[in-house]
Amino acid sequence: MKLLCLAALLSACLGFSAYAQPDQKTAVPVQCKTTKGDMTIVVQPAWSPLGAARFLQMVDAGFFKDVPLFRCVNNFICQFGAVPPRGDAKAWSTIADDPKQPALRNFKRGYLSFAGNGANSRATHMFITLGDKIDALGIMPWETPFAYIEPTSLQKTVAQLNTSYGDMPPWGAGPDPQKITAPDGAAYLAHNFPQLDYITSCSYKH
């Protein structure tokens, strides 16, 4: 009984919801609203347990409020997770990489994965795959799919996301994530990238 109480207390202290347990095996549907329409994300904890848990924790915490889709490159990826400063922002530490699953090595259109810049560097940045059989994806240790976009949402919403601004610096002239997170990040986006798309909210789909 003491062990059960301790486990429950530890879970509460860590802020995990019932959906965000790392050992969750059941697919979890999440509905996100965007400036191009609704988007259903099907989270698959069995694919990437730690990545799936982090995403669901972010949903619980209300992270996905006016989140810019700042790096949308046609037939490549649409990246998000850099946000202008706001008063209710939470600090997110990095998480460990999940083990690779060979069956998921070839990223399909609509897969979601966290982005990173080194081993065990995943925090808030993630991307939607916009093309099929992109050899550059899935190679790095931190690139493991944790979810996919439901096919109807992929066609009706994701296919409509604005890709005209292109890649981020230094590969293109699109929004710079470092400037997005600066104190004047919101004004920077509004002035320079007025047609940028955003995720406006995410919640569990029942």
Side-chain angles (χ1 to χ4, degrees), residues 33-36 66-69 186 189-190 193 196-200:
K33 295 184 178 299
T34 80
T35 46
K36 285 298 195 307
D66 300 326
V67 174
L69 294 153
L189 290 175
F193 307 97
L196 200 68
D197 283 310
Y198 291 77
I199 297 173
T200 57

Side-chain angles (χ1 to χ4, degrees), residues 14 18 29 36 49 62 86 99 107 109 112-113 116 146 155 186 197 199:
L14 290 175
K36 285 298 195 307
R86 61 192 189 202
F107 277 42
R109 184 170 175 263
L112 275 82
S113 169
F146 67 85
Q155 180 180 4
D197 283 310
I199 297 173

Side-chain angles (χ1 to χ4, degrees), residues 1-11:
M1 180 62 71
K2 289 183 178 180
L3 289 176
L4 289 175
C5 292
L6 179 60
L9 179 61
L10 180 60
S11 178

Side-chain angles (χ1 to χ4, degrees), residues 55-199:
F55 176 77
L56 295 176
Q57 290 164 14
M58 293 168 72
V59 173
D60 287 337
F63 176 88
F64 298 100
K65 177 183 178 182
D66 300 326
V67 174
L69 294 153
F70 71 89
R71 186 192 184 192
C72 291
V73 183
N74 194 35
N75 292 319
F76 183 40
I77 62 171
C78 188
Q79 186 170 334
F80 54 99
V83 295
R86 61 192 189 202
D88 62 346
K90 172 184 176 180
W92 295 92
S93 59
T94 58
I95 60 173
D97 295 329
D98 279 297
K100 289 287 189 181
Q101 298 197 40
L104 300 173
R105 162 60 183 87
N106 294 319
F107 277 42
K108 295 181 180 180
R109 184 170 175 263
Y111 275 13
L112 275 82
S113 169
F114 277 86
N117 57 8
N120 305 316
S121 64
R122 297 182 297 175
T124 64
H125 282 240
M126 58 197 80
F127 62 85
I128 302 167
T129 307
L130 298 184
D132 282 309
K133 298 181 179 179
I134 302 173
D135 292 338
L137 297 180
I139 297 175
M140 299 302 182
W142 55 88
E143 291 178 347
T144 54
F146 67 85
Y148 66 88
I149 305 292
E150 183 269 336
T152 300
S153 298
L154 193 60
Q155 180 180 4
K156 292 185 176 181
T157 301
V158 175
Q160 308 306 317
L161 296 176
N162 185 4
T163 59
S164 65
Y165 292 126
D167 212 339
M168 66 181 186
W171 304 284
D176 185 333
Q178 292 187 353
K179 292 183 179 180
I180 293 173
T181 58
D184 61 345
Y188 161 73
L189 290 175
H191 181 264
N192 295 285
F193 307 97
Q195 302 303 315
L196 200 68
D197 283 310
Y198 291 77
I199 297 173

